[in-house]
Amino acid sequence: MQCVRLEAHSQIFHALTALRFLIQQDIDMNTFSRRTVIAVLAAIGSATFFATALADEGMWMPQQLPALEDRLEDLGLELDPETLTDLTAHPMGAVISLGGCTASFVSPKGLVVTNHHCAYGSIQYNSTEENNLLENGFLAEDFSAELPAAPGSRIYVTESLEDVTASINAAIPENATGAERYDAIEAAEKALIAECESTPGYHCNVYAYHGGLYYYLIKQLEIRDVRLVYAPSHHIGKFGGDIDNWMWPRHTGDFSFYRAYVGPDGKPAAYSEDNVPFEPKHWLTVSTQGLDRGDYVMVVGYPGNTDRYRLAAEVKNAFEWVYPTRRKTYLEWLGVIEKATADNEAAAIKYASLVAGLNNVIKNYQGKMEGYAEVGTLARKQARDVALAEWIHADAEREQQYGDALQELEALVARDIANQERDLRYGLATNSSLLEAAGTLYRLSIEKQKPDAEREPGYQQRDLPQLRADLEQIERRFAPAVDKAVWKNFILDYAKLPAAQRVESFDKYFGIGTPEFDEAALTEQLDRM
């Protein structure tokens, strides 16, 4: 074990050298020291986990921070919280989105730092048996050596955030049914997005917060030429493996570098050798002091969502059914992939990103289940539900407005839970890369017959470049034998469901429920497909 750690230390030294080299291309290194670079690695490697270490509350929208000023100052924040509400000014303007991960500009020449696992898809996409970047790592020694990221890779730079709650609510008819309300909100969002994207080069979305209590229109510069600059070898990027993942302290060098490119006119453009590095208005500088015990740390970024407002029944179901069931199922999935890619390095490379993602989720579920048992999560949640009910019934006006709300929510949760086994098994039984591609193309052929504003979101003209990019990636992330093995495994799982829980048309196609259906018959059908 000591030898492994010594090797890792050697690899980290090379990573530090590479990081210094990259920044030196873009910025005068006179103000940087080796300690500074180590501080960067420490921040990247541990940022996700600081909240657990400090055990303090926290996922907040930027505009909420001024109201928390006293609390934040007590914790050690020295900035004026008001400066963190402007997403277009420093430092928030340097924090960007990859459309699923957070990243940051760290130089005036568009150099972007993000997590290794966030760039993993692009590293995998550029890997071959002859040049396995996942295994060996990658360093572009000059701008010309930088590699195009995976098709569809984007860098989103936020330029404005507008509260459009009033516009959305005004579009909802009085006494609307659930379906009418849904359609009205969707139409209003499409109209706002279309107007926002009338200027080329921008990507806009309307996001609902707190279950639709607020709606915000976010306008972002959409940089389409993204290139891979540096990726650590697996000795660094995956050091500690999944044993270390989601743990504190964590020892991995979970970082990689991209660079954003634009056309010679400074506007977003598709990949071209004539493109030039993007020059951001803001970028983060590296502290020369590093971090000391007790220092205040705030992580900013683009998280997906929070489940803090779930009812106790939902929490109980998540920890006692969803997480353990999915963990077991995903382990089964990994086993099928491992068997199907054995002695086939090309196929293993194609599925490396999926395998990493599954391992990440499995470890996440395991940690959540262990924490749930240790800290009394359910009891605390049940007490909060009781307190909320008491608060509602303590006031006549609240009683009239919300008196039945909790019971109605609980009924919806119970109905959802009743179908969860079916939803999981059927979802996995139709989870084939090839089937998904065919379904996307078929659905697109239908949606394209409609006026653009009437198409389903995801199939409008604005979505076509991303759809095309997703399809282009299949060649590097699909092996028929592996896809077939996984598909067969999950169709056989699905076939064990009671007939009332299955989908009639799917059963008919594969002959599920007939005397002729067995593994051999299913294999023949998948071979034909």
Side-chain angles (χ1 to χ4, degrees), residues 28 77 89 119 151 163 185 193 198 218 240 289 391 422 451 495 511:
D28 181 4
L77 178 66
D163 186 341
I185 291 173
I193 290 170
S198 59
I218 300 181
Q289 302 304 311
W391 177 81
R422 176 205 66 189

Side-chain angles (χ1 to χ4, degrees), residues 336-353:
V336 176
I337 293 174
E338 182 178 1
K339 183 177 179 180
T341 57
D343 302 320
N344 187 340
E345 185 180 358
I349 290 173
K350 288 183 175 182
Y351 283 82
S353 184

Side-chain angles (χ1 to χ4, degrees), residues 214-466:
Y214 302 107
Y215 292 87
Y216 282 87
L217 174 67
I218 300 181
K219 183 177 183 179
Q220 297 174 309
L221 190 70
E222 182 181 31
I223 297 176
R224 293 177 284 148
D225 186 352
V226 183
R227 305 186 194 181
L228 182 65
V229 179
Y230 172 81
S233 77
H234 78 104
H235 298 290
I236 299 167
K238 296 183 75 67
F239 179 70
D242 289 297
I243 294 173
D244 247 13
N245 194 13
W246 294 104
M247 302 298 285
W248 175 268
R250 190 180 181 198
H251 306 94
T252 185
D254 187 12
F255 73 103
S256 291
F257 285 87
Y258 279 136
R259 194 183 303 278
Y261 279 80
V262 291
D265 59 358
K267 297 179 180 179
Y271 174 86
S272 169
E273 292 184 358
D274 296 329
N275 286 351
V276 298
F278 175 67
E279 297 184 0
K281 296 177 182 177
H282 308 285
W283 60 91
L284 301 182
T285 55
V286 182
S287 169
T288 59
Q289 302 304 311
L291 293 172
D292 293 322
R293 181 179 294 275
D295 280 355
Y296 177 79
V297 179
M298 175 183 284
V299 178
V300 297
Y302 293 85
N305 51 42
T306 174
D307 291 330
R308 71 170 65 189
Y309 300 118
R310 298 290 184 180
L311 297 179
E314 295 175 279
V315 172
K316 186 176 190 297
N317 181 65
F319 283 98
E320 298 181 15
W321 189 89
V322 176
Y323 296 155
T325 304
R326 287 188 175 271
R327 180 180 179 277
K328 181 180 177 181
T329 304
Y330 292 172
L331 283 168
E332 179 184 333
W333 192 348
L334 283 176
V336 176
I337 293 174
E338 182 178 1
K339 183 177 179 180
T341 57
D343 302 320
N344 187 340
E345 185 180 358
I349 290 173
K350 288 183 175 182
Y351 283 82
S353 184
L354 174 59
V355 166
L358 287 172
N359 275 317
N360 188 54
V361 174
I362 289 167
K363 184 62 185 290
N364 178 276
Y365 287 164
Q366 182 64 37
K368 285 179 176 178
M369 290 187 292
E370 291 172 359
Y372 172 75
E374 290 175 4
V375 301
T377 304
L378 182 59
R380 295 208 314 272
K381 204 60 175 157
Q382 289 170 331
R384 289 185 180 183
D385 284 4
V386 170
L388 176 59
E390 291 174 349
W391 177 81
I392 290 173
H393 298 306
D395 180 86
E397 186 176 343
R398 291 198 296 264
E399 171 84 40
Q400 183 178 5
Q401 188 171 4
Y402 305 117
D404 298 327
L406 289 178
Q407 291 88 335
E408 291 175 1
L409 278 173
E410 286 170 353
L412 288 171
V413 170
R415 190 173 73 181
D416 191 49
I417 289 174
N419 296 319
Q420 63 187 0
E421 182 82 30
R422 176 205 66 189
D423 294 343
L424 173 62
R425 300 304 167 194
Y426 182 65
L428 290 169
T430 55
N431 186 28
S432 157
S433 299
L434 205 57
L435 179 64
E436 183 180 354
T440 296
L441 290 169
Y442 179 70
R443 181 63 179 273
L444 179 61
S445 71
I446 295 173
E447 294 295 330
K448 286 182 72 174
Q449 298 175 46
K450 305 174 185 177
D452 191 59
E454 296 177 15
R455 297 183 196 174
E456 287 291 319
Y459 293 92
Q460 294 182 278
Q461 197 67 29
R462 67 191 291 266
D463 303 307
L464 296 186
Q466 188 62 52

Side-chain angles (χ1 to χ4, degrees), residues 89-240:
H90 189 82
M92 303 294 271
V95 182
I96 53 181
S97 171
L98 303 180
C101 277
T102 299
S104 303
F105 284 123
V106 288
S107 90
K109 292 295 185 181
L111 191 65
V112 170
V113 66
T114 189
N115 297 95
H116 178 243
H117 67 264
C118 291
Y120 206 75
S122 292
I123 304 167
Q124 175 270 324
Y125 188 84
N126 283 286
S127 292
T128 63
E129 288 182 86
E130 297 74 28
N131 186 21
N132 189 342
L133 305 186
L134 295 170
E135 180 81 14
N136 304 323
F138 171 73
L139 171 64
E141 296 190 359
D142 54 45
F143 292 109
S144 65
E146 295 172 359
L147 298 173
S153 297
R154 297 287 187 270
I155 289 174
Y156 297 103
V157 185
T158 298
E159 294 211 351
S160 69
L161 183 146
E162 178 186 357
D163 186 341
V164 293
T165 308
S167 297
I168 298 292
N169 288 338
I172 303 171
E174 190 174 354
N175 301 318
T177 65
E180 290 168 345
R181 179 183 179 85
Y182 180 91
D183 290 341
I185 291 173
E186 183 179 282
E189 289 177 345
K190 285 180 183 176
L192 288 166
I193 290 170
E195 182 180 358
C196 180
E197 292 183 348
S198 59
T199 304
Y202 286 93
H203 180 84
C204 305
N205 268 318
V206 175
Y207 294 96
Y209 292 87
H210 303 296
L213 185 62
Y214 302 107
Y215 292 87
Y216 282 87
L217 174 67
I218 300 181
K219 183 177 183 179
Q220 297 174 309
L221 190 70
E222 182 181 31
I223 297 176
R224 293 177 284 148
D225 186 352
V226 183
R227 305 186 194 181
L228 182 65
V229 179
Y230 172 81
S233 77
H234 78 104
H235 298 290
I236 299 167
K238 296 183 75 67
F239 179 70

Side-chain angles (χ1 to χ4, degrees), residues 9 12-13 16 20 32-39:
H9 292 159
I12 289 174
F13 174 77
L16 296 173
R20 183 182 178 91
F32 287 77
S33 67
R34 189 169 185 274
R35 181 185 176 193
T36 302
V37 179
I38 294 173

